[in-house]
Amino acid sequence: MLECNNISKVYKKGNWFSAQQAAPVLNDVNFKMIAGRSMGLLGENGSGKSTLTRIILGLEKPTSGNVLFNGQDIHQMVQRGDQQFRQNMQAVFQDPASAMNPRWNALKIITEPLINFGSYSQEQRRDSAAKLMCSVDLNPSDMDKNITRFSGGQQQRICIARALALSPKLLILDEAVSNLDMVIQAQIIELLEQLKTTHNISLLLISHDIRVVFKLCEDILVLDKGNIAERISIETGIKNAHSDAFTRLVSCVS
Ligand SMILES: Nc1ncnc2c1ncn2[C@@H]1O[C@H](COP(=O)(O)OP(=O)(O)OP(=O)(O)O)[C@@H](O)[C@H]1O
Ligand SMILES: [Mg+2]
């Protein structure tokens, strides 16, 4: 489904007054995601997780390498203005409030992707919004409420509902539960676990929290300073995991 081939990213450091230096952030990252399995991208702060996420989403170009989604090069599609792949690849980020227009109600936010990719009557939009709100355990009777009147956890559910609107095959979550308190975090993790089966969706879950990743993913990549330090799967288990980056992340949990 998703293939990252030899992805490297180098940012230029410095400004007009100082010599520009190259700052490598990702170095020859290779992995494949198979439909029906979820992948966790685990790494400490600054290890390059969000940079890789933006490259996968086609929001940023790699310095070298390519990303294939169902065999098609994402950056070539972006270059030709072909946005159709976004129907099958949706993302949810860390801070729900900054990902939504504060003047909009839940209905408008959740059904925005439908409007971008097709024409729907008001009745169809309300109908879709109601179903999507139910699938993320929100009450559809709240769809006309302004987004600022929902709690942080509810706002993240609304972001997930919006991401599900086009029935994507891949849902990318960059630290999407990190800002939530433990109880709400556990509820959202449970919701994502359900969605994997009910919506037949694969997750690409980016996190520095090993517990979240192990709960939801069959395959795990450990990123260390832009390099893949370790590959773990439910078949191989974590018993043999030994990289320094993995050991440091484990020690954060206890
Ligand atoms: N646009 C940019 N220009 C220059 N450097 C950048 C840019 N974006 C990210 N970086 C640098 O790349 C490195 C990796 O950043 P990135 O945000 O990908 O890490 P991360 O693993 O997502 O971290 P976190 O866990 O804090 O979210 C950092 O050193 C960061 O300063
Ligand atoms: Mg990040």
Side-chain angles (χ1 to χ4, degrees):
M1 179 169 55
L2 179 74
E3 212 173 304
C4 283
N5 297 311
N6 311 97
I7 300 288
S8 295
K9 180 73 187 179
V10 179
Y11 288 113
K12 295 266 189 313
K13 258 194 196 162
N15 54 32
W16 283 0
F17 307 106
S18 63
Q20 290 219 324
Q21 284 178 322
V25 170
L26 293 170
N27 182 31
D28 204 22
V29 172
N30 284 288
F31 71 90
K32 278 185 191 164
M33 266 187 82
I34 303 162
R37 287 176 78 96
S38 290
M39 171 81 81
L41 198 56
L42 201 54
E44 295 166 290
N45 292 133
S47 55
K49 304 182 298 295
S50 295
T51 305
L52 182 56
T53 308
R54 289 194 300 275
I55 290 172
I56 290 170
L57 284 164
L59 303 174
E60 206 168 313
K61 276 179 88 166
T63 307
S64 59
N66 62 29
V67 182
L68 305 183
F69 185 59
N70 293 330
Q72 303 230 62
D73 187 309
I74 289 215
H75 295 90
Q76 283 178 7
M77 286 192 275
V78 170
Q79 219 157 18
R80 349 180 251 273
D82 178 0
Q83 300 285 337
Q84 285 304 315
F85 73 93
R86 299 209 186 278
Q87 288 196 25
N88 281 319
M89 183 198 276
Q90 290 282 308
V92 177
F93 297 96
Q94 185 164 6
D95 180 14
S98 69
M100 296 182 289
N101 187 328
R103 290 193 296 267
W104 288 8
N105 62 20
L107 165 71
K108 195 163 177 191
I109 287 166
I110 293 171
T111 58
E112 188 193 12
L114 296 177
I115 307 306
N116 291 341
F117 283 93
S119 59
Y120 293 83
S121 68
Q122 185 65 3
E123 199 186 335
Q124 285 170 321
R125 284 178 68 178
R126 294 191 75 85
D127 200 39
S128 293
K131 288 191 186 118
L132 287 160
M133 286 181 85
C134 287
S135 67
V136 296
D137 297 327
L138 286 175
N139 190 341
S141 63
D142 288 337
M143 74 170 75
D144 296 305
K145 258 174 50 177
N146 182 278
I147 197 64
T148 52
R149 293 179 55 210
F150 289 88
S151 71
Q154 288 171 332
Q155 288 182 354
Q156 197 56 305
R157 285 175 192 270
I158 289 171
C159 285
I160 296 172
R162 173 176 60 183
L164 294 175
L166 296 165
S167 307
K169 295 278 168 278
L170 176 63
L171 183 59
I172 301 180
L173 301 130
D174 188 353
E175 304 281 7
V177 297
S178 306
N179 267 6
L180 307 170
D181 70 47
M182 292 301 272
V183 176
I184 307 292
Q185 193 181 86
Q187 289 169 359
I188 301 274
I189 290 170
E190 195 182 318
L191 168 68
L192 292 169
E193 211 165 9
Q194 280 167 21
L195 293 174
K196 276 174 68 176
T197 39
T198 56
H199 284 61
N200 199 17
I201 222 166
S202 295
L203 310 177
L204 175 59
L205 189 83
I206 292 95
S207 180
H208 59 272
D209 189 335
I210 193 164
R211 291 165 303 189
V212 176
V213 169
F214 273 95
K215 189 102 176 78
L216 290 165
C217 302
E218 288 81 28
D219 299 298
I220 295 163
L221 292 178
V222 183
L223 212 56
D224 186 13
K225 298 186 193 78
N227 295 285
I228 295 182
E230 187 126 44
R231 293 169 197 264
I232 305 167
S233 72
I234 46 164
E235 289 82 12
T236 58
I238 57 165
K239 285 193 305 289
N240 301 322
H242 61 275
S243 65
D244 291 346
F246 182 75
T247 312
R248 287 195 299 271
L249 287 161
V250 170
S251 70
C252 297
V253 175
S254 43

